Amino acid sequence: MNTPNPALRESATFDRGVISEIQRAAETGIYDIRGWGAKRKLPHFDDLLFLGASMSRYPLEGYREKCDTDVVLGDRNAKFPLHLDIPITIAGMSFGALSGQAKEALGRGASEVGTSTTTGDGGMTPEERGQSKNLVYQYLPSRYGMNPDDLRKADAIEIVLGQGAKPGGGGMLLGQKITERVAGMRTLPMGVDQRSACRHPDWTGPDDLAIKIIELREITNWEKPIYIKVGATRTYYDVKLAVKAGADVVVVDGMQGGTAATQDVFIEHVGIPTLAAIPQAVQALQELGVHRSVQLIVSGGIRSGADVAKAMALGADAVAIGTAALIALGDNSPRYARQYEELGSAAGFYDDFQAGKDPAGITTQDPELSKNLDPVEGGRRLANYLRVLTMEAQTLARACGKSHLRNLEPEDLVALTVEASAMARVPLAGTTWIPGAL
Amino acid sequence: MAPVATTEATVLNLVTSSTRAVNERLTSPEAPKTVTVTGPQGAHALACGLDSDIDVTIDGHVGYYCAGMNQHATVTVNGNAGVGVAENMMSGKVHVKGDASQSAGATAHGGLLVIDGNAAARCGISMKGVDIVVGGNIGHMSAFMGQAGRLVVLGDAGEALGDSLYEARIYVRGTVASLGADCIKKEMREEHLTELRELLDRAGFDADPSEFTRYGSARKLYNFHVDNASAY
């Protein structure tokens, strides 16, 4: 970073970002609210490497020998579990946070490659249901738009207890995005700040949740898989309790998970990295004897086929993407560089999702801006991206000698750093050492 | 499916049948119009997800989430109800002749919930359009984050009534231990007396609307303003 005078020395404690935030806080009297996920550097999948096959393992021929990718989710109790062609799903993002066009595009893209998409904290829209072959309906603390008809239209139900960007925090959709349609779906006045509850109103713990799950199963004739989504924090305990409560699928959302709008201090300072959460979740499932029969979906910063493969090697059955899906649709595209600059940001940096002024037409309710996203084109871009993720993961799996992505295992991985080694519970590269292992 | 014990096709006995079997019967297209459920023994999730104008009477105490997400049906509980009775009800009527545990009518979008006795904490929490009439008292944090609908209490209300209220309206005849954030006492105008009279009549209570006090949102927390920060 250039300074006006080379002799000037920037404080590591009070760098320009910190100074700017103090000045902003003093001026406005409110914490910084933004979208996206954690921006600080965290131990991540990049800190792991695959051990491709050589002598002790036997690789498969790329693009010639089959490497399957399908996954079945929720076959423990539900009459109709989800059969997905690829183990990469679309995470819950609300209509309200996203435009109708964006939700439609997500449905189109996901359906094209045989995977699922997920509603969010705003109810189910006809566009989304219409375009999503497999739609997971989120059952959230706010219960905005919750009704039994939509529950029955869903292919699975995801009970949301937490989100990686803000475990323990509720939703936040600021008044500038609350149009007549959004307000109507949420039974609230237009223009008010919609602060969704951080906890479910009619149960207070895992014992209650077990009964709530039975109620949801009764209402939907025991047909739908029940997911439970938690923000990654005390993951080992949360996953155990979720299974005990009756979850068919557990979704663990790591700290790198995105959000439409939340306090920056929350995004950056609550939760644990995705990498650290997976082994905890897998250990909990293994100790209960349900690993693979209660499926694990991992989300929070998944970007590439390598991330997908590594998450699965650590024990996930599938992953979910949110922020990456929005980028695939066109979020932060250089195409809108001028408009981002006019908003005081830049392509690649834009995170003011709460403002509703997204020139890409994705995180907005402005009808004119929304037109900038063609749902058909967006869906095609998302499908392309999902195909690339899948092919990348297959390539890595074949190199490890695996004929199915689910056959990847921790033994296929090593860590580059001590931190990643300890969190992921795989050896530091070139050693047999896993910090903390017995 | 476990066999369902019936007499004249209108009595379902939970001593000899499972909740699943009874619920399946109640929600089937061939369900009788009038049904009595006996021996509930505190069963959870009983008569939930009903979606027709069926009339169900439950003779005894029920557990959690009785009549949850009800649409169109009339459900009468001749006993007490556990947590979350009529939660997320969309339409129809649920009548608890005894007392109700916490979160009665939680997040309910429509219909009428009548509780002859007392309701525990968080009655009408996050209500979204339902009408709730309670003959006795209600516990603390009732109507917390209530968005729409009406809550009528013939007895007393516990602490933090209507905390973080949106547009739900509250009428209390007795005392209120304390009001929650952004909840204030409001004037009882003629239209409110009329509205309350109609609600009391529908619920079957003989009470004088003029004895009630109306509470609602001060709307100071609708959009953040630093000068209201202490109210949060």
Side-chain angles (χ1 to χ4, degrees):
Chain A
M1 192 181 296
N2 293 325
T3 55
N5 181 341
L8 298 177
R9 187 175 166 204
E10 184 164 62
S11 166
T13 306
F14 290 92
D15 63 26
R16 275 169 285 183
V18 171
I19 292 170
S20 174
E21 171 53 21
I22 293 172
Q23 291 166 339
R24 191 206 59 77
E27 189 174 329
T28 65
I30 188 170
Y31 36 59
D32 184 27
I33 297 170
R34 67 173 176 85
W36 207 278
K39 293 191 171 186
R40 62 158 65 196
K41 183 163 175 57
L42 294 162
H44 201 32
F45 294 112
D46 286 344
D47 300 317
L48 302 181
L49 297 172
F50 275 108
L51 297 174
S54 292
M55 281 286 283
S56 52
R57 295 283 177 107
Y58 191 72
L60 300 184
E61 196 66 57
Y63 298 109
R64 291 198 177 273
E65 291 185 281
K66 200 166 176 59
C67 179
D68 290 326
T69 62
D70 62 304
V71 61
V72 177
L73 299 170
D75 54 352
R76 185 160 83 136
N77 295 295
K79 287 179 190 168
F80 305 127
L82 256 62
H83 293 253
L84 304 182
D85 294 338
I86 62 171
I88 308 159
T89 67
I90 306 300
M93 292 176 276
S94 75
F95 171 74
L98 302 189
S99 64
Q101 283 88 337
K103 293 297 283 180
E104 181 182 338
L106 291 172
R108 286 178 178 275
S111 296
E112 191 172 327
V113 296
T115 190
S116 62
T117 187
T118 311
T119 64
D121 202 350
M124 183 189 288
T125 62
E127 299 99 305
E128 187 172 33
R129 177 61 278 186
Q131 296 301 333
S132 299
K133 183 183 173 197
N134 295 293
L135 180 60
V136 182
Y137 189 31
Q138 285 196 328
Y139 187 76
L140 289 128
S142 71
R143 311 275 171 86
Y144 290 146
M146 171 54 56
N147 66 75
D149 295 334
D150 287 346
L151 274 177
R152 294 179 185 118
K153 284 181 200 163
D155 299 294
I157 298 164
E158 180 172 292
I159 301 172
V160 179
L161 308 189
Q163 188 179 340
K166 45 185 174 183
M172 185 180 280
L173 192 62
L174 301 189
Q176 54 262 43
K177 290 176 78 171
I178 311 301
T179 62
E180 186 175 1
R181 184 181 180 194
V182 173
M185 288 179 67
R186 300 177 183 223
T187 328
L188 284 165
M190 282 176 62
V192 306
D193 296 345
Q194 296 188 359
R195 295 165 183 273
S196 310
C198 64
R199 57 183 187 269
H200 285 262
D202 55 357
W203 52 269
T204 54
D207 294 339
D208 288 2
L209 177 55
I211 305 170
K212 171 57 70 176
I213 286 175
I214 289 171
E215 184 206 9
L216 293 173
R217 291 195 199 285
E218 286 291 321
I219 289 170
T220 55
N221 200 28
W222 289 72
E223 294 175 351
K224 326 284 182 188
I226 304 287
Y227 299 10
I228 293 180
K229 178 177 179 177
V230 297
T233 52
R234 300 172 183 85
T235 307
Y236 171 77
Y237 300 103
D238 288 341
V239 169
K240 279 203 162 180
L241 289 171
V243 172
K244 290 283 190 186
D248 298 314
V249 176
V250 179
V251 183
V252 174
D253 192 22
M255 184 179 170
Q256 294 95 328
T259 180
T262 281
Q263 303 92 330
D264 175 84
V265 70
F266 215 137
I267 298 172
E268 300 287 1
H269 297 281
V270 184
I272 63 173
T274 306
L275 190 63
I278 302 175
Q280 288 190 27
V282 171
Q283 181 188 349
L285 294 171
Q286 287 174 336
E287 287 179 2
L288 292 171
V290 297
H291 188 218
R292 303 301 185 197
S293 58
V294 171
Q295 289 81 30
L296 174 66
I297 299 178
V298 168
S299 54
I302 302 289
R303 310 151 298 176
S304 66
D307 292 349
V308 174
K310 289 170 184 175
M312 295 187 70
L314 289 176
D317 295 278
V319 302
I321 60 170
T323 303
L326 301 187
I327 295 170
L329 295 187
D331 179 58
N332 269 291
S333 166
R335 183 177 173 185
Y336 298 105
R338 182 183 56 79
Q339 289 93 327
Y340 286 129
E341 284 174 20
E342 287 172 359
L343 293 168
S345 185
F349 295 85
Y350 182 70
D351 61 11
D352 286 331
F353 298 166
Q354 80 288 349
K357 297 177 181 173
D358 182 0
I362 296 170
T363 59
T364 182
Q365 290 301 313
D366 184 312
E368 289 304 311
L369 292 174
S370 296
K371 288 177 187 170
N372 289 340
L373 178 67
D374 176 354
V376 176
E377 168 67 9
R380 189 190 65 78
R381 291 174 59 87
L382 177 62
N384 279 345
Y385 172 60
L386 289 167
R387 288 191 185 102
V388 169
L389 291 185
T390 305
M391 288 190 291
E392 287 178 342
Q394 285 173 303
T395 296
L396 295 168
R398 286 193 186 96
C400 296
K402 305 299 164 66
S403 60
H404 199 293
L405 289 183
R406 67 166 167 259
N407 295 338
L408 286 163
E409 55 191 328
E411 286 73 17
D412 293 317
L413 293 170
V414 292
L416 276 173
T417 67
V418 173
E419 289 82 1
S421 176
M423 290 182 188
R425 304 181 191 177
V426 299
L428 192 64
T431 80
T432 57
W433 182 48
I434 302 175
L438 298 175
Chain B
M1 185 178 89
V4 180
T6 64
T7 58
E8 303 301 323
T10 59
V11 177
L12 308 179
N13 187 343
L14 270 164
V15 175
T16 53
S17 300
S18 66
T19 301
R20 176 84 281 257
V22 169
N23 284 342
E24 259 190 327
R25 186 70 187 278
L26 295 176
T27 54
S28 78
E30 296 79 32
K33 280 286 183 188
T34 304
V35 179
T36 298
V37 178
T38 58
Q41 305 174 103
H44 300 312
L46 187 57
C48 63
L50 301 185
D51 192 18
S52 68
D53 60 355
I54 186 172
D55 193 319
V56 179
T57 299
I58 302 170
D59 278 336
H61 306 309
V62 295
Y64 283 46
Y65 309 126
C66 178
M69 298 207 192
N70 183 50
Q71 288 173 295
H72 312 299
T74 298
V75 178
T76 303
V77 179
N78 287 324
N80 301 324
V83 170
V85 62
E87 71 85 21
N88 214 87
M89 176 164 58
M90 304 300 292
S91 60
K93 181 181 177 183
V94 175
H95 187 173
V96 178
K97 296 289 187 73
D99 297 325
S101 185
Q102 62 185 4
S103 303
T107 76
H109 287 69
L112 175 66
L113 169 62
V114 180
I115 299 163
D116 287 353
N118 303 308
R122 304 189 297 173
C123 177
I125 185 169
S126 199
M127 54 195 286
K128 300 180 193 317
V130 67
D131 290 326
I132 304 174
V133 183
V134 180
N137 307 319
I138 58 171
H140 66 271
M141 292 294 281
S142 288
F144 175 56
M145 292 181 86
Q147 295 176 211
R150 285 88 54 101
L151 171 62
V152 179
V153 184
L154 279 78
D156 302 329
E159 294 178 343
L161 177 70
D163 193 289
S164 305
L165 201 63
Y166 286 91
E167 291 294 298
R169 293 195 289 282
I170 304 172
Y171 299 97
V172 181
R173 184 167 69 171
T175 61
V176 173
S178 66
L179 295 175
D182 213 31
C183 183
I184 57 172
K185 186 187 293 188
K186 292 191 169 183
E187 180 191 0
M188 279 288 271
R189 296 193 298 269
E190 194 57 41
E191 68 261 33
H192 303 115
L193 293 169
T194 303
E195 173 181 79
L196 184 52
R197 175 77 271 156
E198 186 265 340
L199 278 168
L200 290 164
D201 287 347
R202 279 174 56 207
F205 287 108
D206 182 19
D208 181 356
S210 67
E211 295 174 357
F212 287 73
T213 303
R214 181 169 71 102
Y215 301 90
S217 174
R219 302 189 178 97
K220 284 186 177 176
L221 303 184
Y222 275 18
N223 297 97
F224 180 84
H225 190 284
V226 66
D227 294 339
N228 295 327
S230 61
Y232 285 93

